[in-house]
Amino acid sequence: MKKNHKKIQAIEFFCGSGGMSFGLQLAGINVFTGIDIDGSCRKTYEYNTDAKFIEKSIVNTTSKEINALFKESLKEGNYSMLAGCAPCQPYSPINTRKQTEDRRKTLLDEFGRIIKGVKPHFVLMENVSALKAGNQFFDDFIKMLNKQGYQYEYKVFNAKDFSVAQNRKRLFLIATRLKKIKLSFKNIVPKIPVVLQDVISHLEGITHLTPSVNDPIHRSKPLNILNLKRIKATPKNGGLRSSWADKSLISPCHRNKDVFLDNYGRLAWGRLSSTITTKFNEYYSGRFGHPTQDRALSLREGALIQSFPENYQFFGSETQIARQIGNAVPVNLSRAMGEVFIRSL
């Protein structure tokens, strides 16, 4: 079989700190530009991916602008790709917004508008597993792909099957308008499973008040007196607040309800982590207590659980970095998706 020497040149919308872009690059796809409205991600994205970061809303971006970005990279007859991970909160089952409509839902429509105007050879879309057929916004996106002549597949994958130490189910859609290309999830290759111990147990021990001297983001958020008592009362290696002997430690909102049972819990070495959220560094926000040390997860630990390499650098405030990590597509998962496209060539 004749080898295809063409390369895939990609632009990612909603690129954030680069979890998707970096994983695609590891797979062999040249992601040369990332676009995001959150300018606090710029330094993190550009430092680690060597790609250009454009601070702009997709709403204000035109197909003409994207075609101009592709112009130079496609001169040698390479393939074009648009990747996009529209903010997922509107489609998530844990979204607590009271509004019947969330304006961010339209961002998937905007991504479809850009695809329609640019007509890239390949499309990669990622979102929460709750986004599926029957959802108005997803159905409209599929109709657009059909009208533009794309062949596509979509499927929910769990990051744990791709060397990511957490349960994190995500919907992925792959599409191509190249008729001779056999693009299929049948070509995806699961990776060796890992647990929490495999990815963070090697890090130096720290306290909630004493960060690492070697890694500026291996630091944990300081605990107040009450939360320090709570985590000390929680059994190590997977304990929950249900084990607290001192019931005065229980928050009033938890005393009469069996809700959010993981809150104030510890993770366990031999298991998967809880899904990393944008508040994984907040002890109260879920089961984010360190298995043995009396503190919440550090920023670096959250990044490693998201399968960012240990030398991946993050820039910004504590809150900004936690958001960059929590919103990211796990690197190992995005790499596996990128390999699907590479194998199709």
Side-chain angles (χ1 to χ4, degrees):
M1 182 182 292
K2 186 177 180 180
K3 190 174 181 180
N4 193 334
H5 293 287
K6 292 182 180 181
K7 296 181 179 179
I8 299 176
Q9 308 287 337
I11 295 173
E12 184 192 355
F13 282 93
F14 320 106
C15 64
S17 59
M20 174 73 89
S21 290
F22 191 75
L24 294 178
Q25 288 176 340
L26 291 176
I29 294 171
N30 179 32
V31 184
F32 65 94
T33 300
I35 302 172
D36 200 295
I37 197 172
D38 185 358
S40 70
C41 297
R42 177 189 297 275
K43 191 172 182 180
T44 299
Y45 184 85
E46 292 188 337
Y47 182 90
N48 294 285
T49 67
D50 288 328
K52 180 182 179 181
F53 180 95
I54 297 176
E55 183 181 346
K56 194 169 187 178
S57 169
I58 191 173
V59 175
N60 301 320
T61 303
T62 67
S63 299
K64 183 177 180 180
E65 291 172 312
I66 301 304
N67 280 321
L69 291 172
F70 273 125
K71 185 175 180 181
E72 288 299 317
S73 62
L74 297 182
K75 278 185 176 179
E76 297 179 2
N78 291 317
Y79 299 117
S80 58
M81 170 191 273
L82 285 178
C85 316
C88 63
Q89 288 85 353
Y91 314 112
S92 172
I94 64 171
N95 182 27
T96 57
R97 288 182 177 231
K98 300 300 182 184
Q99 296 92 333
T100 55
E101 289 294 327
D102 188 320
R103 290 188 64 192
R104 289 172 297 177
K105 290 179 178 179
T106 65
L107 295 181
L108 186 58
D109 293 327
E110 295 291 343
F111 187 45
R113 172 181 61 82
I114 297 293
I115 293 169
K116 184 177 178 181
V118 174
K119 294 181 175 57
H121 298 103
F122 295 106
V123 172
L124 173 61
M125 189 272 283
E126 180 266 2
N127 219 292
V128 293
S129 58
L131 187 65
K132 56 188 176 183
N135 177 289
Q136 172 195 338
F137 303 97
F138 186 73
D139 289 346
D140 288 345
F141 190 79
I142 293 298
K143 288 177 183 177
M144 179 278 300
L145 291 176
N146 283 322
K147 288 182 180 179
Q148 298 303 313
Y150 283 88
Q151 52 178 310
Y152 56 86
E153 290 182 10
Y154 56 89
K155 186 176 180 179
V156 172
F157 292 91
N158 194 325
K160 72 181 180 67
D161 297 320
F162 300 91
S163 296
V164 179
Q166 63 175 307
N167 268 308
R168 194 183 188 95
K169 291 183 179 180
R170 307 294 288 185
L171 172 82
F172 284 88
L173 181 146
I174 54 177
T176 182
R177 62 178 177 83
L178 300 174
K179 303 304 181 185
K180 294 183 179 180
I181 296 292
K182 295 185 182 298
L183 184 65
S184 175
F185 284 128
K186 292 178 181 179
N187 294 324
I188 200 163
V189 179
K191 309 296 182 182
I192 298 173
V194 294
V195 293
L196 188 66
Q197 185 170 6
D198 297 321
V199 297
I200 70 167
S201 64
H202 67 286
L203 295 176
E204 66 185 288
I206 59 173
T207 75
H208 73 115
L209 295 175
T210 310
S212 167
V213 296
N214 301 310
D215 183 350
I217 75 161
H218 184 33
R219 63 180 189 266
S220 181
K221 206 159 189 178
L223 300 174
N224 60 31
I225 294 174
L226 180 57
N227 280 340
L228 185 58
K229 288 180 179 179
R230 285 167 170 162
I231 196 166
K232 285 184 174 181
T234 306
K236 297 187 186 306
N237 202 27
L240 295 172
R241 69 171 189 267
S242 56
S243 298
W244 294 346
D246 183 356
K247 300 307 178 184
S248 69
L249 295 177
I250 301 175
S251 173
C253 65
H254 292 148
R255 285 175 186 169
N256 299 318
K257 299 177 182 178
D258 290 330
V259 294
F260 303 112
L261 298 178
D262 278 349
N263 289 55
Y264 299 104
R266 288 186 187 268
L267 295 167
W269 283 130
R271 301 177 189 169
L272 296 168
S273 166
S274 302
T275 300
I276 296 299
T277 68
T278 58
K279 292 186 177 181
F280 72 88
N281 62 328
E282 300 277 7
Y283 171 54
Y284 67 83
S285 69
R287 189 187 288 218
F288 295 125
H290 188 277
T292 55
Q293 297 168 32
D294 294 331
R295 60 175 178 82
L297 288 174
S298 74
L299 294 172
R300 177 60 71 195
E301 287 165 338
L304 291 175
I305 294 169
Q306 283 279 62
S307 65
F308 283 101
E310 198 164 340
N311 62 354
Y312 205 93
Q313 300 301 311
F314 293 86
F315 303 91
S317 68
E318 187 98 6
T319 300
Q320 288 170 338
I321 292 175
R323 186 171 67 243
Q324 290 173 23
I325 294 170
N327 279 336
V329 180
V331 171
N332 288 350
L333 180 56
S334 57
R335 179 177 185 170
M337 296 299 155
E339 290 171 350
V340 172
F341 289 90
I342 295 300
R343 289 192 182 94
S344 73
L345 301 180

